[in-house]
Amino acid sequence: MSNTRVVNGPGFRVCFDDEPDYLRAYVFDGTDSLAVSTAMWRILGEECRAAKSTRLLVLEDLMSTVDLPDIGQVVDTVIESGLRDVRMAFVELRDDIQGSEIAESLCLERGMSIRIFSEESEARRWLIYGS
């Protein structure tokens, strides 16, 4: 049985569920921006450390998107938040696949284990079982 909790961030909310093999984070109720993404990844990093999770499934359901020139800064925040060694599946529930794919490439270049998806079931399968 999972333990569900909601964290209010600045301009968004995150619903966390402790699943048997990973931490699930549903990010919603906000508009994405550099400030929102930075805060989001810091909260995700804190929660992963608290849960001692090595796998993270992120479902992002935010309006708008981070400007493409700011994506590198968001990736820096992901690493600074302690998520470099966490296997992550990121599900883009809206339509910012281009920005998410750029972020995925930057993360992979830095040695992180991350993939971008548009469906939760696919993401979960990769997160638990690999490619």
Side-chain angles (χ1 to χ4, degrees):
M1 179 175 264
S2 70
N3 174 23
T4 300
R5 63 211 164 276
V6 176
V7 175
N8 292 313
F12 63 95
R13 294 189 299 161
V14 185
C15 180
F16 288 102
D17 288 297
D18 296 311
E19 299 295 339
D21 297 313
Y22 59 93
L23 178 64
R24 181 184 186 270
Y26 173 62
V27 184
F28 65 105
D29 202 19
T31 302
D32 206 0
S33 66
L34 177 59
V36 165
S37 281
T38 299
M40 176 189 82
W41 286 108
R42 287 186 177 134
I43 289 170
L44 295 176
E46 289 170 13
E47 199 66 27
C48 270
R49 281 190 300 284
K52 295 183 169 80
S53 182
T54 59
R55 293 180 182 173
L56 175 64
L57 173 63
V58 180
L59 297 107
E60 188 188 77
D61 192 9
L62 299 174
M63 295 193 314
S64 193
T65 185
V66 174
D67 292 332
L68 290 179
D70 293 331
I71 291 175
Q73 196 171 344
V74 172
V75 171
D76 290 341
T77 300
V78 172
I79 292 169
E80 292 163 7
S81 297
L83 295 168
R84 178 188 297 274
D85 297 324
V86 173
R87 182 177 177 90
M88 289 184 281
F90 186 90
V91 181
E92 181 59 63
L93 296 174
R94 301 269 176 155
D95 60 355
D96 182 34
I97 293 297
Q98 179 188 16
S100 296
E101 287 175 343
I102 292 169
E104 176 186 47
S105 294
L106 292 173
C107 287
L108 292 172
E109 286 174 2
R110 295 174 188 194
M112 298 175 68
S113 179
I114 187 170
R115 283 216 29 218
I116 305 301
F117 298 89
S118 57
E119 292 182 15
E120 182 176 358
S121 60
E122 252 185 87
R124 187 181 321 110
R125 192 169 20 263
W126 176 83
L127 188 64
I128 295 171
Y129 303 111
S131 339

